[in-house]
């Protein structure tokens, strides 16, 4: 297929990648860094590849302003792998700090604002080793009592005194709910966190990583993301881990903590420079190319502005559609995501009509997640403002009928 025949991909992940990166990847598949060996064929221990990994790490550090207190690590297993890994590593850390606590007194705080944080909390319950406390649940603040359509008010957040971890998902990809980055009623209530010691704050940034700066990054214990939304293909998981969360998981297990598989231990990743076992070489390569391109365009601040413009345009046309009684946004004002905008098309058969009209214009990936239905527009970094304009024009045409 020629580049001209490519569709505009609004899919939620795996998702659009810049064409220049795909072309560069094709070259790297034949000959990586002048070695005469393709990137999918070269040893992950070769000096060329290890240099590439170290450079990727420093590009991320630079663009997100990650302080020296935090490691940048690469692993596999996706966001779901981290649902387990954060629990195991943070329970191990807590066990070493508070070995005397009984299981029911070892608490893991979860903020549940959508399908992904709900799943993360379920995994924590499944693994055991501590009790899950739901700090706030978005469903309780929705009109029907069962929809994830809002960020709960700050007063609803009641954190435990000394939890093993405090978990939140910054952007809920399925439900389109996101914490605001500017201070205000839908920002993460950092001011309500426990005041003592280093806060074990864990954030799932899977669907907004490197789309804009991370508020209060240095106050987080762990931030993680799968690459397959904004910065690469599936297969690579990126972690930002504060030094105090890199613990001897085996020493903790001897004290009774749930054992941590060796590849999930953050200490293993730190000690091996993220190369304990064979990493996802190709995914790392493509992510590196994306991030180099990001830097050449102006880095995270540039993408923040473009992403803001894109989201504002889609929310504006959604408002027009609501005024005409054709569309209905699913998320409360102030809680809407920049990355995944979700709405219903009103009227019998209208959604199918909307989707087939979009398809005819090569606007793809718009169907909402199978669990919630409706329409979802994902506007990750590789979707340009011009491409977004095409979708906005189509929506305007559709609601004008
Ligand atoms: C916010 C969020 N967290 C976690 C996941 C799960 O990630 P993975 O499919 O990489 O396991 C996803 C996947 O879409 C996600 O959007």
């Amino acid at each position: 297929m020629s580049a001209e025949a490519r569709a505009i991909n609004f899919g939620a992940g795996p998702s659009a990648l810049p064409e220049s990166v795909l072309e560069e990847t094709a070259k790297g598949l034949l000959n990586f860094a002048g070695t005469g060996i393709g990137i999918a064929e070269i040893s992950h221990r070769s000096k060329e590849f290890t240099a590439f990994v170290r450079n990727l790490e420093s590009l991320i550090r630079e663009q997100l302003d990650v302080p020296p207190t935090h490691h940048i690590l690469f692993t596999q297993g996706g966001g779901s792998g981290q649902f387990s890994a954060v629990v195991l590593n943070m329970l191990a850390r807590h066990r070493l700090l508070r070995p005397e606590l009984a299981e029911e007194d070892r608490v893991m705080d979860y903020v549940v604002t959508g399908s992904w944080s709900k799943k993360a909390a379920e995994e924590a319950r499944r693994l055991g080793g501590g009790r899950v406390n739901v700090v706030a649940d978005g469903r309780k603040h929705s009109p029907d009592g069962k929809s994830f359509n809002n960020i709960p008010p700050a007063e609803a957040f009641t954190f435990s005194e000394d939890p093993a971890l405090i978990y939140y998902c910054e952007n809920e990809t399925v439900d389109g709910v996101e914490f605001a980055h500017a201070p205000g009623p839908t920002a993460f209530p950092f001011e309500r966190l426990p005041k003592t010691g280093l806060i074990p704050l864990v954030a799932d940034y899977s669907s907004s990583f490197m789309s804009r700066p991370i508020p209060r990054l240095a106050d987080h214990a762990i931030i993680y993301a799968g690459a397959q939304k904004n910065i690469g293909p599936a297969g690579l998981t990126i972690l930002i881990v504060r030094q105090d969360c890199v613990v001897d998981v085996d020493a903790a297990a001897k004290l009774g903590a749930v054992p941590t598989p060796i590849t999930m231990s953050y200490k293993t990743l730190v000690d091996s420079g993220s190369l304990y076992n064979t990493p996802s070489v190709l995914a790392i390569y493509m992510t590196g190319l994306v991030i180099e391109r990001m830097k050449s365009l102006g880095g995270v601040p540039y993408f923040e502005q473009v992403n803001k413009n894109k989201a504002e345009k889609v929310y504006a046309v959604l408002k027009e559609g609501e005024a005409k009684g054709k569309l209905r946004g699913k998320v409360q004002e102030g809680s809407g995501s920049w990355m995944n905008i979700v709405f219903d098309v009103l009227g019998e058969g209208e959604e199918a009509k909307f989707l087939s009209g979009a398809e005819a214009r090569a606007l793809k990936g718009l169907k909402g997640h199978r669990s919630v239905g409706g329409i979802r527009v994902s506007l990750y970094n590789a979707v340009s403002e011009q491409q977004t304009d095409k979708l906005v024009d189509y929506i305007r045409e559709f609601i004008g009928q």
Side-chain angles (χ1 to χ4, degrees), residues 77-81 83 116 169 171 173 204 206-207 228-229:
S80 307
F83 292 170
W116 288 113
C169 177
N171 180 49
T173 322
D204 176 356
S206 287
S207 44
Q228 71 270 23
K229 318 286 189 184

Side-chain angles (χ1 to χ4, degrees), residues 109-350:
D109 275 0
Y110 276 79
V111 176
V112 178
T113 50
S115 320
W116 288 113
S117 45
K118 176 171 168 279
K119 261 194 147 167
E122 280 161 10
E123 176 62 359
R125 270 188 212 104
R126 195 185 69 83
L127 287 169
R131 176 170 62 80
V132 169
N133 167 46
V134 175
V135 170
D137 186 325
R139 287 170 296 191
K140 292 196 180 144
H141 303 272
S142 69
D144 63 4
K146 54 183 184 195
S147 305
F148 288 118
N149 79 335
N150 68 92
I151 295 294
E155 315 79 76
F157 289 67
T158 37
F159 297 104
S160 307
E161 223 166 79
D162 178 24
L165 65 93
I166 300 168
Y167 189 100
Y168 74 101
C169 177
E170 184 265 351
N171 180 49
E172 286 283 359
T173 322
V174 170
D175 309 281
V177 170
E178 183 177 44
F179 285 93
H181 282 212
T186 54
F188 187 85
F190 291 100
E191 69 288 355
R192 293 181 72 88
L193 289 168
K195 300 280 181 286
T196 46
L198 286 166
I199 305 162
L201 185 61
V202 177
D204 176 356
Y205 260 79
S206 287
S207 44
S208 53
F209 194 68
M210 300 201 74
S211 66
R212 52 175 160 162
I214 297 178
R216 309 271 296 256
L217 185 150
D219 291 334
H220 288 77
I222 300 165
I223 290 168
Y224 71 81
Q228 71 270 23
K229 318 286 189 184
N230 281 297
I231 51 166
L236 171 64
T237 314
I238 298 169
L239 291 156
I240 299 176
V241 180
R242 201 175 55 207
Q243 179 56 35
D244 59 287
C245 304
V246 180
V247 300
D248 186 340
V249 290
D250 295 334
K254 282 195 188 114
L255 296 174
V258 183
T260 306
I262 189 91
T263 53
M264 282 197 167
S265 152
Y266 296 151
K267 189 164 184 315
T268 304
L269 297 176
V270 169
D271 291 349
S272 64
S274 300
L275 294 169
Y276 172 75
N277 65 326
T278 318
S280 49
V281 177
L282 181 58
I284 289 175
Y285 179 61
M286 292 179 75
T287 303
L289 296 180
V290 170
I291 291 180
E292 274 169 12
R293 173 181 176 270
M294 281 184 70
K295 184 179 172 174
S296 74
L297 289 170
V300 170
Y302 167 83
F303 280 91
E304 179 181 31
Q305 186 57 54
V306 173
N307 289 331
K308 181 170 187 279
N309 298 347
K310 285 161 23 189
E312 280 176 359
K313 285 178 177 179
V314 175
Y315 279 114
V317 79
L318 172 54
K319 271 222 157 90
E320 287 172 33
E322 286 181 326
K324 290 187 169 170
K326 298 264 188 177
L327 307 176
R328 184 171 52 220
K330 292 191 183 197
V331 176
Q332 273 177 18
E333 187 88 31
S335 301
S337 163
W338 282 17
M339 292 282 112
N340 313 98
I341 300 176
V342 293
F343 58 89
D344 285 321
V345 183
L346 304 178
E348 185 73 30
E350 289 298 300

